[in-house]
Amino acid sequence: MLNRITYLTLELVDGKPQHLNDVLSEIPTNVILNKTVTGCGATYTEIKTPRNSIIVEPNRPVIYGKERQEKHKDDNIKGVYQGVKQKNIVEYLEKTKRQGKFIKIMTTPESFPKVIDALEEVDIDIRYECFLLFDECEKITKDCDYRQDITLPMDLFFQCQNKAMVSATPITDLSDPRFNSFKVIKIDPKFEYKKNLNLFTTNNVLQRTKEVIPAMLELGKPLFVFVNSTDMIYALMNKLNLVEQSAVFCSEKSADKLKQLKFKAAYEDWDAAKMKQVNWMTSRFYSALDIELDEQPIVMMITDVYIAQWTMFDPFTDSVQVVGRFRNGVSYIVHISNWDYRIQYHMRAFFQAKCECDKLIYEQMNTFYNDAPSPEYHAAYYDVLQVLPYKKFLKTDKSVNYFKMDNYVDEEMTKVYYGDPKRLVEAYVQGEHFIVGHFLKTYTVGDYERLRIEDKSISVKEKRRRIVEQLEMLGECETEADMQYKRDLRAADAFIVDAYDQLGKKDIEESGYSVTKIKEAVIVKRHQEKASSRDVLELVNLHFKEGRWYSRKYIKTKLDAIYTKMEIPRPRAVTSGNIRVFFTAVEKNKKNSKGYLLLTRKFML
């Protein structure tokens, strides 16, 4: 934990907040600069500082935007990302040398090696001749589990004489001992920077979103919806009937996937000219990007813990960064989220201690491996080492990747916030960036129940059992939300929903969820209901009288004719015994002919 903190004050001047370069002429070396507020100009300050700068940005859209900003048109910025070749960087460096300008390269972590190779080709040693700045530095920790190359610059980062990390939401509880010599410079704004945020917690994200989005759209402002799952975005657009009103900004791969689904308004780079009334954005656009609009939009974040963990917004980092994308402010901030009570509560120290325990177990097993008495033991210990939890924190050379360790702790803590609505509220309050209004609304059935139905690992019988349980919970469907959920259940399995409507839970359970038995029970039920209708009874009473005897042949022929005429479903073949549906009767033979004596009617007209 970095506890050497220097505070730097930002004031209001003529009613406007100062920028960083008003109070700091240049970013010093060996610091983590905690901006506290987004958009105060840290990247701008480095671009304007008269020195060679290599600025590592988390994603291409950030660089793409900076390259095209009017305020940076004379700043010699060179963006490096996928598609930019090393020879292009070399040409830029040689031109910069000839013109006597400062190097201002902005690169993604994945393209950083190309920058290093280009610098070496023109005899520039980044360790001594450039200032290396890692912007939005929390992304190193937060993304390294799925972006293997995001930590590529870090080993060289620590070799540089002049270096710094910057973010409005840095993670300073870092385990890498190489940060021990760093200090933190924390911006202390002397003006109100907290923003109002409405947190809508619910057990049914789709239904709550259906209610909230129309209310937001009525305000007549652009709506930006941040959801870190293009599958979820596509489903929401369709279920909310927003396809024609929507544009999606995501990765190139995800944009191609959406276009294959016949959705054309999907883009990998932000462009205000492409925006629509509803603009969906993935995590690619959470940080660093400048979105400058003439009006203040509505910002919405949506989390569904049951669909994907990565839709969880960290209240201390992600949510702050999302809102900070809009340089001219926002008019309304909403976060809609469910929760999962199965997530246990733990403090950060618990997960840190677990890492230490995993390390001890790995080291002990590694000792067994090194001291194995035979090739067979050696191979067995090797297999065990590959599956131990601590293995994921190691690089190929077996040195520790501390960022992956910090990523594990950070992700586990983020999960903790979503174990209970109160925990999420407390996290937002502790984060000191928002004034939180909390609105809890629950529905008869929610996302957990939906998840149980969509579980592909269960049998058809178990799925139907769960559907019947949920139909019991819904009861008479008194709300539109309940009726919609029942429609969703019918879409999932129309057979069992229709059977439930006909038979109820008890009869279905007695059938043992056998399709044949359920179908038979439905037919019997329909037969009984139809056979007791007034029209049918009138026909039966026309042909059969109390106190009279009828042969089996006559009874069967007449009943069969009545059933056919009245379209009554047959539970099985029609027999003379079916007369007992309508009369109490006793079997009685007459003149060597078998038949029934009808005693009393069971139904009165």
Side-chain angles (χ1 to χ4, degrees):
M1 177 70 171
L2 295 167
N3 52 20
R4 296 190 300 159
I5 302 177
T6 301
Y7 291 91
L8 193 64
T9 298
L10 284 187
E11 306 276 357
L12 283 179
V13 177
D14 297 328
K16 294 183 179 181
Q18 289 178 298
H19 280 76
L20 182 66
N21 62 343
D22 293 327
V23 296
L24 192 67
S25 60
E26 63 179 38
I27 300 172
T29 190
N30 292 349
V31 303
I32 297 177
L33 176 59
N34 183 348
K35 300 185 298 182
T36 306
V37 291
T38 57
C40 67
T43 310
Y44 177 90
T45 296
E46 185 55 39
I47 291 172
K48 295 295 184 180
T49 299
R51 61 186 176 193
N52 293 328
S53 306
I54 310 297
I55 304 172
V56 182
E57 294 287 356
N59 292 300
R60 171 187 160 176
V62 184
I63 303 169
Y64 191 82
K66 293 287 186 187
E67 284 182 299
R68 285 152 181 77
Q69 284 181 341
E70 181 67 21
K71 61 186 176 184
H72 291 307
K73 67 177 183 179
D74 297 322
D75 290 328
N76 196 37
I77 294 176
K78 176 63 179 177
V80 181
Y81 33 75
Q82 185 177 8
V84 177
K85 299 184 182 301
Q86 182 178 326
K87 68 176 184 178
N88 303 133
I89 308 170
V90 170
E91 289 169 359
Y92 161 82
L93 293 171
E94 290 174 339
K95 181 180 178 182
T96 298
K97 275 187 173 182
R98 290 196 303 271
Q99 294 178 340
K101 294 182 176 180
F102 290 106
I103 297 167
K104 297 294 174 181
I105 290 178
M106 301 184 74
T107 178
T108 61
E110 290 81 359
S111 290
F112 183 75
K114 290 188 290 188
V115 175
I116 299 305
D117 290 343
L119 288 170
E120 289 179 356
E121 192 170 332
V122 296
D123 296 323
I124 295 176
D125 193 332
I126 189 175
R127 296 173 299 171
Y128 308 106
E129 299 178 64
C130 299
F131 191 92
L132 181 55
L133 179 68
F134 213 119
D135 196 16
E136 308 303 349
C137 57
E138 79 282 352
K139 299 293 282 184
I140 313 171
T141 297
K142 299 190 78 67
D143 291 1
C144 68
D145 58 332
Y146 68 94
R147 292 175 64 185
Q148 299 298 320
D149 293 339
I150 196 170
T151 59
L152 283 176
M154 294 314 301
D155 287 336
L156 186 56
F157 174 85
F158 287 105
Q159 297 176 33
C160 292
Q161 285 189 344
N162 300 295
K163 56 189 177 294
M165 304 177 79
V166 62
S167 178
T169 56
I171 297 171
T172 55
D173 193 1
L174 298 166
S175 56
D176 194 324
R178 292 175 294 183
F179 282 111
N180 291 344
S181 61
F182 278 59
K183 66 178 181 178
V184 175
I185 297 178
K186 182 175 174 58
I187 301 299
D188 181 19
K190 297 303 180 182
F191 50 83
E192 183 54 63
Y193 63 92
K194 291 185 180 182
K195 296 178 173 62
N196 293 316
L197 179 145
N198 289 313
L199 176 62
F200 293 92
T201 55
T202 179
N203 68 329
N204 191 324
V205 168
L206 175 61
Q207 188 59 38
R208 196 66 172 118
T209 304
K210 280 184 176 180
E211 296 169 358
V212 173
I213 281 188
M216 298 295 102
L217 293 177
E218 286 180 4
L219 299 177
K221 294 179 177 291
L223 175 61
F224 285 79
V225 188
F226 290 80
V227 184
N228 196 26
S229 165
T230 46
D231 289 338
M232 188 171 164
I233 288 172
Y234 185 73
L236 286 171
M237 284 193 301
N238 282 280
K239 290 180 179 179
L240 300 175
N241 296 317
L242 293 173
V243 174
E244 296 302 319
Q245 300 166 256
S246 294
V248 178
F249 298 89
C250 53
S251 68
E252 181 181 7
K253 183 177 179 181
S254 295
D256 289 341
K257 180 179 179 180
L258 289 172
K259 288 172 182 176
Q260 289 172 8
L261 294 169
K262 309 302 181 184
F263 180 79
K264 303 301 181 185
Y267 312 102
E268 61 175 312
D269 290 304
W270 161 251
D271 187 340
K274 297 173 182 174
M275 66 181 284
K276 292 191 176 183
Q277 186 176 12
V278 183
N279 305 280
W280 305 81
M281 291 186 156
T282 62
S283 62
R284 178 180 172 86
F285 299 89
Y286 284 9
S287 60
L289 179 68
D290 293 344
I291 300 179
E292 297 179 350
L293 303 173
D294 294 331
E295 55 185 325
Q296 295 183 329
I298 299 164
V299 173
M300 180 180 292
M301 297 168 278
I302 300 178
T303 297
D304 188 334
V305 299
Y306 296 110
I307 286 183
Q309 174 196 327
W310 53 85
T311 65
M312 297 179 184
F313 290 82
D314 185 337
F316 294 92
T317 56
D318 299 328
S319 300
V320 180
Q321 291 291 346
V322 161
V323 177
R325 297 311 95 231
F326 301 91
R327 298 313 196 190
N328 295 324
V330 299
S331 60
Y332 208 72
I333 307 169
V334 173
H335 184 183
I336 299 174
S337 180
N338 51 16
W339 65 88
D340 186 349
Y341 281 130
R342 296 173 298 178
I343 301 173
Q344 296 182 347
Y345 177 78
H346 293 292
M347 300 289 285
R348 183 175 293 271
F350 171 86
F351 300 112
Q352 292 171 328
K354 186 176 181 303
C355 288
E356 285 300 313
C357 183
D358 288 342
K359 178 183 178 182
L360 292 174
I361 293 170
Y362 184 90
E363 289 175 343
Q364 183 66 57
M365 191 57 61
N366 197 48
T367 299
F368 292 151
Y369 169 76
N370 291 329
D371 298 340
S374 70
E376 293 81 9
Y377 275 84
H378 200 266
Y381 286 132
Y382 177 83
D383 290 341
V384 173
L385 284 170
Q386 303 315 301
V387 297
L388 289 178
Y390 193 72
K391 177 72 163 55
K392 64 179 177 287
F393 302 141
L394 300 180
K395 302 176 187 177
T396 53
D397 64 358
K398 294 188 178 182
S399 62
V400 180
N401 187 329
Y402 291 100
F403 290 103
K404 283 196 174 182
M405 191 180 297
D406 293 339
N407 170 269
Y408 162 76
V409 174
D410 183 76
E411 284 194 349
E412 292 302 313
M413 280 307 302
T414 301
K415 288 182 194 174
V416 166
Y417 309 142
Y418 288 86
D420 185 300
K422 291 180 181 178
R423 293 186 211 162
L424 189 55
V425 173
E426 290 170 2
Y428 268 117
V429 171
Q430 292 172 9
E432 299 183 347
H433 280 86
F434 298 105
I435 300 168
V436 183
H438 180 214
F439 306 90
L440 171 65
K441 185 172 182 178
T442 58
Y443 300 83
T444 306
V445 292
D447 299 312
Y448 176 69
E449 289 77 20
R450 189 187 304 274
L451 176 72
R452 297 181 75 229
I453 297 301
E454 295 173 351
D455 186 354
K456 290 181 173 56
S457 67
I458 61 175
S459 65
V460 173
K461 180 178 177 179
E462 175 60 20
K463 177 180 178 180
R464 287 175 169 168
R465 187 186 68 78
R466 293 180 181 183
I467 289 176
V468 168
E469 285 180 356
Q470 293 178 25
L471 289 167
E472 282 284 289
M473 293 169 62
L474 287 171
E476 295 300 320
C477 291
E478 297 177 353
T479 67
E480 173 58 32
D482 291 348
M483 289 186 284
Q484 179 58 55
Y485 191 78
K486 187 170 182 178
R487 287 192 287 269
D488 292 342
L489 290 178
R490 178 169 277 107
D493 194 325
F495 170 78
I496 200 67
V497 174
D498 290 339
Y500 176 85
D501 287 342
Q502 289 287 327
L503 304 175
K505 181 181 179 182
K506 182 174 180 292
D507 287 351
I508 291 176
E509 289 185 337
E510 287 179 353
S511 75
Y513 288 87
S514 162
V515 173
T516 301
K517 290 181 179 179
I518 290 173
K519 286 181 177 179
E520 183 176 294
V522 168
I523 292 172
V524 170
K525 182 86 170 180
R526 289 175 181 169
H527 170 83
Q528 291 171 344
E529 290 173 350
K530 197 79 182 269
S532 61
S533 69
R534 183 179 182 86
D535 292 340
V536 172
L537 293 178
E538 286 180 351
L539 283 174
V540 171
N541 290 342
L542 181 65
H543 294 284
F544 299 95
K545 306 297 181 183
E546 288 179 328
R548 294 185 63 176
W549 178 89
Y550 298 91
S551 69
R552 285 185 173 182
K553 182 177 180 181
Y554 177 85
I555 292 171
K556 179 178 178 181
T557 301
K558 286 298 179 183
L559 286 182
D560 191 59
I562 291 170
Y563 287 175
T564 300
K565 185 177 183 65
M566 303 307 294
E567 299 179 346
I568 298 175
R570 275 78 158 171
R572 53 189 65 85
V574 177
T575 68
S576 58
N578 292 135
I579 196 64
R580 286 191 169 119
V581 172
F582 307 98
F583 291 88
T584 56
V586 293
E587 291 188 68
K588 188 173 183 180
N589 298 336
K590 192 173 183 181
K591 295 180 180 179
N592 298 320
S593 180
K594 294 182 178 180
Y596 287 88
L597 175 62
L598 308 185
L599 302 177
T600 57
R601 293 188 181 94
K602 290 184 177 180
F603 302 100
M604 302 301 294
L605 292 174

